[in-house]
Amino acid sequence: MVRDPVADEEAPELTTVLDALDDEDCRAIVSVLAEPMTASEISEESGVPLSTTYRKLELLTDSSLLYEGVEVRSDGQHASRYAIDFEEVVISLDEVREFEVEISHRARSPDQRLENLWSEVRKET
């Protein structure tokens, strides 16, 4: 089954979100993201080593807390840029007393939706 690249993602696992929120480096990364940045820029601003930054960015995107977009460059050297992708994270109990996580996402701009589509095309080629 092919995933719709412009559809909203499924909710992440509770443990993935909690792991990201509990991680000091992840919190440092989120705190410097006033605007979209590359991994190198994030590493420099947050003081988190670049190799660690890449791992933490993956955790944050897997937990739906960051959005990974692609900056398309005319020279063909495209770069990933990361931005905060949530307004609120709510952890609650459902009817059967199991924990569930709900993340309120920021509205995606047409440019971000196009970036997402482009990323999916790149993965397929």
Side-chain angles (χ1 to χ4, degrees), residues 45-113:
E45 287 291 317
S46 67
V48 176
L50 187 57
S51 59
T52 303
T53 297
Y54 282 112
R55 288 193 315 275
K56 302 306 177 174
L57 289 171
E58 183 176 352
L59 176 58
L60 287 162
T61 55
D62 287 349
S63 63
S64 296
L65 299 175
L66 292 187
Y67 170 77
E68 180 182 2
V70 177
E71 179 182 340
V72 179
R73 298 178 180 167
S74 60
D75 64 1
Q77 298 296 318
H78 309 310
S80 291
R81 295 184 76 75
Y82 299 88
I84 294 174
D85 193 31
F86 69 98
E87 295 286 334
E88 180 179 61
V89 176
V90 176
I91 299 169
S92 59
L93 287 172
D94 63 14
E95 306 83 37
V96 293
R97 312 246 346 125
E98 291 183 7
F99 287 102
E100 62 183 10
V101 64
E102 182 179 328
I103 299 176
S104 300
H105 291 281
R106 295 179 175 186
R108 297 255 169 93
S109 71
D111 288 343
Q112 288 175 321
R113 292 173 64 89

Side-chain angles (χ1 to χ4, degrees), residues 10-55:
E10 287 185 29
E13 292 289 324
L14 174 66
T15 55
T16 304
V17 175
L18 292 176
D19 287 347
L21 293 173
D22 188 44
D23 189 282
E24 185 177 340
D25 290 333
C26 287
R27 291 192 309 270
I29 288 169
V30 169
S31 72
V32 300
L33 279 171
E35 61 186 52
M37 301 169 84
T38 64
S40 296
E41 294 168 335
I42 292 168
S43 174
E44 186 176 311
E45 287 291 317
S46 67
V48 176
L50 187 57
S51 59
T52 303
T53 297
Y54 282 112
R55 288 193 315 275

